[in-house]
Amino acid sequence: MTNDVATLLTRHTEALALFTDRVHAVRDDQWDDPTPCTQWSVRDLVNHLTAEQLWVPDLVTDGATIEDIGDAYDGDVLGDRPRQAWDAAARAARKAFSDEGALERTVQLSYGETPVTAYCSQMVSDAVVHSWDLSRAIGAEERLPDALVAFTLEEVAPYASELSKSGLFAAPIEPPPGDDPQTRLLAMLGRRA
């Protein structure tokens, strides 16, 4: 295993652990609370990340396409036990990316054939940013680990300005003077620290 691949898998494991920590910190009375993600409650946010993890084994291990999977993970994937649903999905995604040879493959995403390493990098970044969103929503520690912030900044910087065109992301905002890497990352993705 090359150092880059080992680092990618380490960042993926760390990002999932960070989000897992925040999911397990959600109080029973917070699931309907708002998040920095417009129109998403805490439950909606956790559901989104859980559904994303559920796609990973199908795409990476089974070689399925978006069309093959269809609407299997649309709607509520959390059921009555949201923490356990997240835990199971995160474990399965981690295993799929960690399997022998997985990071040497390609997957079919909505925008075409993509190296699994790029897909994994995107999943890391999504988990990191949404960990901040969830932290803010539930009043948990908002400081993200430096290694995950650096990884995510490097990942999203090349295409951050294009994300708002999708309608799924807020427009970038100007970070305050003397900003730190986390503040810069959040501003790039339309969030105020």
Side-chain angles (χ1 to χ4, degrees):
M1 184 182 304
T2 66
N3 192 39
D4 286 347
V5 170
T7 300
L8 176 57
L9 290 175
T10 297
R11 295 291 94 84
H12 182 254
T13 298
E14 292 168 350
L16 289 179
L18 179 64
F19 196 77
T20 298
D21 180 67
R22 298 311 187 263
V23 169
H24 284 269
V26 176
R27 294 189 322 262
D28 289 341
D29 64 345
Q30 291 181 309
W31 289 102
D32 292 326
D33 288 358
T35 70
C37 300
T38 309
Q39 313 217 350
W40 275 359
S41 67
V42 167
R43 185 179 175 90
D44 295 333
L45 176 60
V46 174
N47 189 72
H48 165 71
L49 258 290
T50 303
E52 281 197 341
Q53 306 317 306
L54 292 171
W55 282 84
V56 176
D58 291 347
L59 294 171
V60 175
T61 305
D62 299 340
T65 65
I66 302 286
E67 293 76 27
D68 294 336
I69 300 166
D71 61 2
Y73 305 121
D74 288 359
D76 178 38
V77 297
L78 297 178
D80 295 335
R81 302 176 67 187
R83 291 175 192 89
Q84 290 83 350
W86 161 259
D87 290 346
R91 272 193 309 274
R94 189 174 66 243
K95 181 182 180 328
F97 281 130
S98 299
D99 281 349
E100 182 74 31
L103 295 180
E104 298 165 14
R105 300 179 194 140
T106 58
V107 289
Q108 293 295 326
L109 301 179
S110 58
Y111 50 86
E113 189 171 88
T114 304
V116 170
T117 52
Y119 177 41
C120 186
S121 295
Q122 293 164 16
M123 294 291 282
V124 170
S125 298
D126 206 41
V128 169
V129 173
H130 285 315
S131 291
W132 181 86
D133 293 329
L134 188 53
S135 296
R136 166 111 349 150
I138 66 171
E141 172 58 50
E142 293 180 16
R143 189 87 221 141
L144 300 169
D146 292 343
L148 288 174
V149 170
F151 180 93
T152 304
L153 257 175
E154 186 176 330
E155 169 63 24
V156 302
Y159 56 81
S161 63
E162 301 295 311
L163 290 174
S164 63
K165 293 177 184 173
S166 71
L168 301 173
F169 294 84
I173 58 175
E174 189 66 33
D179 63 336
D180 62 12
Q182 178 171 318
T183 303
R184 194 165 46 257
L185 170 65
L186 295 171
M188 197 181 294
L189 298 172
R191 292 158 168 87
R192 291 190 192 281

